[in-house]
Amino acid sequence: MTDNAADGQAITEIQMGAAAAPEPTVVVAATLADAAGLACQGTTQALAEAVADRGVAHVALTGGSGGVALAEALAPLIAAQPEPVRCGIHLWFGDERFVPMGDPERNDMLATPLIAAGVRESQVHRLAAPQDVGGLDEATARMVHELESAGLASGGFDVVHVGLGPDAHVCSLFPGHPAALAVGVPAVAVRRSPKPPSQRCSLTFEVLQRAGRVMVVAGGAGKAEAVRLGLGTPDVLAAPASCCRGRQTTWYLDEPAAASRGVEGG
């Protein structure tokens, strides 16, 4: 099969998966912090229910302004949960930058307040750093192994937090980038990212579309067009966010981000 044929098949598979998912629900709040707070209330409930059902819960965090707002809102809610819930939570990351541990560019820095809230450090699944592996491929392979070992390669995330780029990218799946078309694997190495750092690892749409709950959080007028595209017809090449739909998907927006939809805040 030629690369073009393989790409065409991947595009069809990803877009059909999104089209088959339930339509997203949209929640509009006055500010990004308010929107993140509402998302985190739903997150905490979903994680507590998962721990009650299975003894374990899996959540993938996101980076960017939305990720910071989510981590800040989630920490006190986790801290207020009973110990079995706190100890049952596993933290993952929708994408990660392939830079040294402790680098402020790393998304896993957002786990710090959640660890302080009671999540076990041993249950924070971090991408290996450049100094610890032979390169991005090895780091990605290790992450794939972790996802497979946890039963998450074919679905299983209880909640996935997703930020939204102004170009309608999600995780590190950018418009027109070959990594966005990865199928058959739960995570993909991303090289030559249009947004620095250039080397990253990202969950794939295959995993995102099988998540129990996908929560997209975005704020600011600069995201309004990306919101419009993301809530439109699935188009993985032009607007990857439009293909980020799980078994239940909710977009949590502040009023400026929702402006293109003509929605007023509640």
Side-chain angles (χ1 to χ4, degrees):
M1 182 180 291
T2 67
D3 288 344
N4 286 342
D7 285 352
Q9 183 174 328
I11 291 168
T12 298
E13 182 177 326
I14 292 167
Q15 293 179 176
M16 286 183 65
E23 288 285 331
T25 299
V26 179
V27 175
V28 182
T31 68
L32 177 59
D34 291 337
L38 292 172
C40 288
Q41 290 175 23
T43 296
T44 305
Q45 179 180 351
L47 298 181
E49 289 173 355
V51 172
D53 290 343
R54 309 191 314 271
V56 65
H58 295 280
V59 58
L61 306 181
T62 188
S65 58
V68 171
L70 284 161
E72 290 177 349
L74 187 58
L77 296 176
I78 295 298
Q81 293 298 304
E83 183 178 3
V85 174
R86 299 196 306 271
C87 293
I89 295 172
H90 286 248
L91 299 181
W92 305 76
F93 303 89
D95 68 327
E96 185 57 278
R97 291 83 180 269
F98 189 55
V99 294
M101 288 290 181
D103 190 306
E105 291 279 5
R106 286 186 69 102
N107 287 334
D108 65 10
M109 297 295 287
L110 296 174
T112 302
L114 299 174
I115 294 169
V119 175
R120 291 174 173 170
E121 168 64 41
S122 61
Q123 293 174 187
V124 179
H125 301 268
R126 305 177 190 270
L127 182 72
Q131 64 267 33
D132 298 324
V133 290
L136 178 60
D137 283 341
E138 183 179 345
T140 301
R142 289 190 183 186
M143 181 53 62
V144 167
H145 177 71
E146 281 196 58
L147 289 162
E148 291 174 342
S149 297
L152 299 174
S154 57
F157 275 106
D158 298 290
V159 179
V160 176
H161 287 170
V162 180
L164 179 69
D167 59 354
H169 83 264
V170 290
C171 299
S172 284
L173 306 174
F174 294 90
H177 195 287
L181 303 183
V183 293
V185 289
V188 60
V190 181
R191 292 182 172 80
R192 296 181 294 281
S193 163
K195 181 179 179 182
S198 64
Q199 294 193 92
R200 301 161 174 240
C201 175
S202 180
L203 295 180
T204 62
F205 282 114
E206 193 162 302
V207 169
L208 296 173
Q209 291 176 354
R210 293 172 179 169
R213 297 190 65 178
V214 171
M215 299 181 178
V216 183
V217 178
K223 303 290 180 71
E225 178 61 11
V227 168
R228 186 185 70 81
L229 293 171
L231 290 171
T233 302
D235 185 338
V236 69
L237 296 180
S242 64
C243 293
C244 188
R245 299 180 183 179
R247 295 198 298 274
Q248 179 181 341
T249 305
T250 307
W251 286 55
Y252 295 89
L253 310 172
D254 70 4
E255 291 175 353
S260 67
R261 304 184 65 254
V263 175
E264 295 181 356

